[in-house]
Amino acid sequence: MRGGVQRNRAVAGEQCDVFPTDCPTRDMVDHVTSRWGVWVLISLRSNGLRFHELRESIQGISEKMLSQTLRALVEDGLVWRKVEPTTPPQVTYGLTEFGRDVGEPLTELFDRITRQLSPRGTG
Amino acid sequence: MRGGVQRNRAVAGEQCDVFPTDCPTRDMVDHVTSRWGVWVLISLRSNGLRFHELRESIQGISEKMLSQTLRALVEDGLVWRKVEPTTPPQVTYGLTEFGRDVGEPLTELFDRITRQLSPRGTG
DNA sequence: CAGGATCCTATCCGATACTG
DNA sequence: CAGTATCGGATAGGATCCTG
């Protein structure tokens, strides 16, 4: 089985049997798997978070990158942004349906690596 | 429910409820989701490939980045490398068990995004 | 609290040239 | 064929300052 080299399993109509530069899927995957995008998506998987909560959750991310990453994810339709015009203003981020859809395999990836690197399972 | 903020679902013993810099899992995820690592892993998911086959499969990657990415993935134990001392030499790469384990959610991610971006499902 | 603007550095990454 | 070494441009990304 397995046929040829790159044919993905014809999931949506085999338009991508290699990974060309102009494939929109590739672009989106690159966004999703961007340095900080991964962690934002995983962080938001269970519930919405405020800007600062996200920042605390993802150790090492700067305000700039967090804001930049969030903006990109919102543009891509993976994350929603809710502004509550209070004082001080509260902004909450969460996953859209698409975001959850994408976040699932990402979380699975995270879990599997955690499991593999865990000292418990290996011994 | 969902309890607190970041607790992942205690998959391997809740040692990471945030994503600290010194978490080995985080490092590994960063490798896996690196710019080219994603595509190498997805490319290799069905069968082993030669260096040039990989290069053709992943449009836009340079020899340098491919070799660099492969070396990193081999070091991480995700990819094996088999050298056949023929002339000219043939080097084949493929996924280890861990690599397949990790490649699965990655492929799923790819599939979901493809499905979402596919003109067929949306209309 | 949330985040934009600027500056500057580290790194990524591609092109080229060379080796076994 | 399958790489390695080096250089240089592009970009990512952190630190700081500033606004609503």
Side-chain angles (χ1 to χ4, degrees):
Chain A
M1 46 166 56
R2 263 67 178 262
V5 173
Q6 265 323 311
R7 319 201 62 77
N8 59 35
R9 15 201 240 273
V11 49
E14 58 300 311
Q15 67 226 30
C16 285
D17 54 342
V18 289
F19 306 125
T21 317
D22 60 326
C23 181
T25 300
R26 178 163 158 175
D27 226 45
M28 183 63 78
V29 171
D30 279 344
H31 287 184
V32 167
T33 61
S34 69
R35 175 145 185 63
W36 299 110
V38 185
W39 303 110
V40 169
L41 291 172
I42 292 182
S43 292
L44 291 175
R45 90 200 107 117
S46 19
N47 38 36
L49 289 177
R50 303 265 302 280
F51 189 84
H52 260 246
E53 290 175 328
L54 268 171
R55 179 144 162 61
E56 281 160 31
S57 171
I58 308 166
Q59 214 177 79
I61 194 173
S62 64
E63 292 92 341
K64 174 183 172 181
M65 289 320 295
L66 180 53
S67 131
Q68 194 171 299
T69 302
L70 282 169
R71 223 183 314 149
L73 293 176
V74 168
E75 267 188 43
D76 283 341
L78 293 154
V79 166
W80 51 255
R81 180 191 138 111
K82 186 174 63 179
V83 184
E84 296 196 66
T86 58
T87 26
Q90 297 202 352
V91 184
T92 310
Y93 295 91
L95 295 186
T96 63
E97 196 157 340
F98 181 29
R100 276 195 304 277
D101 201 40
V102 156
E104 250 174 61
L106 228 45
T107 300
E108 180 64 21
L109 175 75
F110 175 75
D111 286 350
R112 291 192 180 196
I113 290 182
T114 304
R115 220 177 294 135
Q116 172 79 13
L117 264 45
S118 166
R120 207 209 46 184
T122 53
Chain B
M1 38 176 64
R2 263 66 178 261
V5 173
Q6 265 321 309
R7 320 201 61 77
N8 58 34
R9 9 202 247 274
V11 49
E14 58 299 312
Q15 67 227 31
C16 284
D17 55 342
V18 290
F19 307 124
T21 316
D22 60 325
C23 182
T25 300
R26 177 162 159 178
D27 225 45
M28 182 65 76
V29 172
D30 279 344
H31 288 182
V32 167
T33 61
S34 69
R35 178 149 184 62
W36 299 111
V38 185
W39 304 110
V40 169
L41 291 173
I42 291 182
S43 293
L44 291 176
R45 88 200 108 114
S46 18
N47 37 35
L49 289 176
R50 304 264 301 280
F51 189 83
H52 260 248
E53 290 175 329
L54 268 171
R55 181 145 162 59
E56 281 161 30
S57 169
I58 307 167
Q59 214 178 78
I61 195 172
S62 64
E63 293 91 341
K64 175 183 170 180
M65 289 320 296
L66 179 53
S67 129
Q68 193 170 300
T69 302
L70 282 169
R71 224 183 315 148
L73 293 176
V74 168
E75 266 189 43
D76 283 343
L78 293 153
V79 168
W80 50 256
R81 179 190 137 111
K82 185 173 65 182
V83 185
E84 297 196 67
T86 60
T87 27
Q90 296 204 354
V91 184
T92 311
Y93 296 90
L95 296 186
T96 62
E97 195 157 340
F98 181 28
R100 278 196 304 278
D101 200 40
V102 156
E104 252 174 59
L106 228 47
T107 300
E108 179 65 21
L109 175 76
F110 176 75
D111 286 350
R112 292 192 180 197
I113 290 182
T114 304
R115 220 177 294 136
Q116 171 81 13
L117 264 47
S118 166
R120 206 208 50 180
T122 53

